Amino acid sequence: MNIALLVLVILYLLGTLAIGAWAGSRVKNTSDFAVAGHRLPLIMVITTSFATWFGAETVLGIPAKFVNSGLHEVVEDPFGASMCLVLVGLFFAQRLYKMKLLTIGDYFRNRFGVTIEILCSILIILSYLGWVAAQITALGLVFSVLSGGAISTSWGMVIGTVLVLIYVIMGGMLAVVYTDFVQMIVLVIGLSYIAWVASDLAGGTGKVFDLASQKDLFRILPEPSLKAWLFYIGAGITMMIGSIPQQDVFQRVMSAKDPETARNGAVLGGLAYLAFAFVPMFIVVSSLIIMPEEARELLASEDTQKVLPTLILNHMPFFAQVLFFGALVSAIKSTSSATLLAPSTSFVENILRHLWPSLDDKHMLKAMRISIFVFASLVLTYSIWVEGKPIYDMVSSAYQVTLAGAFVPLAFGLYWSRATTQGALASIVFGVGVWLTFTLNETLGEEFPSQLAGLGASVLGMVVGSLLPQWIPHSPTSEEETYTVHPEA
């Protein structure tokens, strides 16, 4: 057991609680809690957008997948994930920002009515289950590794969840963005130093790149067959498009001080994530040179996610260990905090408010904090239940439901003036229905990617449902005029 390192990690986690408490003292209303009062400068929008994706899967999941299969197996993340932020910045950020909404569900209500708002909000909330579970699983892994197994992974999950939960409940989005700013500095410095040390231990950067080239790890395109390309495209668009109608991404955009900052912050955050996601991959490839036997055994087993922690603990100085686990915990906390806040905010604003119409701002704020606690408890239970499932797989499956059910109503609602409530409902029903059919039927799912089938059905449902005679009346709220000021749509 590395007691000194474990103590330092716990102290670091406790330090973030102090930031959360300070941020909590600045929370005056639900706008402060949910979108940081719409006042973040560009640098903080960049760091919090960068932190949106830089989580457990980036440090542990992606490198393990990359070193086993190459770049073509990680097209979903980091390539798809980073391009999601770029697309949000270029095509969605400014339009959504000008609407001054609290959640992405508010858009669906104002454009298509309450039914579509509730349906899309449910899909968005469900999609966070696997994403947050991946972060909690990684926190459990950290405590287990640092304690030499004295703290089980399950108990590590409990400890990590409690520590993250406290500062999110206290400070909301304000706590998230301020801790993201500090944590991203720790992460960039820490992983950059680790990469430099790993390169030196491996005999130089050239040897690491040569080994990756020999193993054909740089191959980014799939096998030249229709089936391989379909699954490759399906994987690529899952996070690239499926993550666009997500509350955590939306909150980053809405937290900016103006529309231009929202656009630029998302684009720059996405490009920064793509560039820096290669650092953990480089470190893991270097481990094949530094500790060939240990790496080979871990990669041949089900413990591929432990390659990087093993390299750090067994072959690097204590200072490097402190920086690595500080960076790893920073990555996990930055993502888990935001993804705990996002579904809870959506639930209160877009579902609970319809059940409790008289809910005022003060009680909405209280309800958001309670729902964060409830959601965290549910995710913790789920994480313990699926313990052992690869982190990358938990993340990659999280956004298929929003790809099939929520993206088309958002995009067509913004850019197609003829989109109707009937079309949006047909889009959700067809998209999710076809996705579920392909997901649950192994024969269909093995022949054609379920998320691609769901997306195609969702587009078809929107177009046909909007152009046919309208049996379901179009029912936007009174704010509809907000969405018709763009004649180019």
Side-chain angles (χ1 to χ4, degrees), residues 53-358:
W53 300 136
F54 212 106
E57 75 292 343
T58 314
V59 181
L60 300 175
I62 293 174
K65 193 88 168 178
F66 167 72
V67 80
N68 268 327
S69 307
L71 284 178
H72 66 285
E73 286 295 324
V74 294
V75 63
E76 187 167 345
D77 191 5
F79 294 103
S82 60
M83 288 302 102
C84 165
L85 291 176
V86 173
L87 291 175
V88 167
L90 294 178
F91 299 105
F92 296 89
Q94 288 182 291
R95 287 173 179 262
L96 291 173
Y97 187 93
K98 292 174 182 178
M99 299 172 190
K100 293 296 182 184
L101 308 170
L102 193 65
T103 67
I104 190 70
D106 291 347
Y107 165 78
F108 291 115
R109 179 182 68 246
N110 292 349
R111 182 63 173 85
F112 296 115
V114 173
T115 300
I116 304 303
E117 171 197 11
I118 293 175
L119 288 175
C120 286
S121 296
I122 291 172
L123 295 179
I124 290 167
I125 291 168
L126 289 175
S127 72
Y128 281 102
L129 192 61
W131 180 254
V132 186
Q135 314 311 313
I136 291 175
T137 298
L139 279 173
L141 181 64
V142 168
F143 281 105
S144 178
V145 168
L146 290 181
S147 66
I151 300 175
S152 68
T153 302
S154 297
W155 274 109
M157 292 180 192
V158 174
I159 295 169
T161 301
V162 169
L163 291 172
V164 173
L165 185 62
I166 291 172
Y167 87 83
V168 177
I169 287 179
M170 286 191 297
M173 192 62 186
L174 278 174
V176 170
V177 296
Y178 284 121
T179 51
D180 279 354
F181 184 73
V182 174
Q183 288 170 170
M184 289 306 100
I185 293 173
V186 173
L187 189 150
V188 170
I189 293 174
L191 287 183
S192 297
Y193 176 76
I194 297 295
W196 179 71
V197 174
S199 175
D200 185 59
L201 291 174
T205 303
K207 287 190 176 182
V208 178
F209 279 100
D210 287 343
L211 179 61
S213 181
Q214 290 170 18
K215 290 181 170 293
D216 198 27
L217 297 181
F218 293 136
R219 181 169 68 86
I220 194 170
L221 298 179
E223 297 295 330
S225 69
L226 178 60
K227 182 177 179 180
W229 269 99
L230 286 173
F231 277 89
Y232 181 78
I233 293 171
I237 66 172
T238 296
M239 288 188 74
M240 184 188 301
I241 298 177
S243 297
I244 290 176
Q246 285 293 348
Q247 177 62 17
D248 59 324
V249 176
F250 175 84
Q251 283 175 307
R252 262 77 176 173
V253 171
M254 292 299 104
S255 297
K257 65 179 182 179
D258 54 53
E260 291 71 28
T261 301
R263 177 197 62 205
N264 297 336
V267 172
L268 293 174
L271 294 176
Y273 172 71
L274 178 61
F276 207 74
F278 284 95
V279 175
M281 295 189 228
F282 174 86
I283 298 171
V284 169
V285 174
S286 70
S287 72
L288 301 178
I289 301 174
I290 300 168
M291 50 172 211
E293 294 300 323
E294 292 171 281
R296 191 177 299 112
E297 289 178 6
L298 289 171
L299 291 172
S301 69
E302 295 182 356
D303 290 328
T304 55
Q305 293 164 168
K306 291 184 178 179
V307 173
L308 196 47
T310 302
L311 169 67
I312 303 301
L313 287 173
N314 295 348
H315 299 275
M316 292 201 174
F318 182 73
F319 180 66
Q321 294 174 18
V322 172
L323 284 178
F324 171 76
F325 283 99
L328 176 57
V329 170
S330 294
I332 296 168
K333 287 178 77 275
S334 63
T335 300
S336 58
S337 59
T339 47
L340 280 176
L341 177 65
S344 306
T345 305
S346 291
F347 171 75
V348 173
E349 169 70 8
N350 303 117
I351 297 177
L352 183 63
R353 200 174 72 165
H354 294 296
L355 301 175
W356 191 359
S358 61

Side-chain angles (χ1 to χ4, degrees), residues 11 19 32 37 138 142 164 179 230 361 394 402 451 464:
L11 288 175
I19 298 175
D32 289 339
V142 168
V164 173
T179 51
L230 286 173
D361 193 80
M394 278 193 275
T402 46
Q451 66 269 47
V464 173

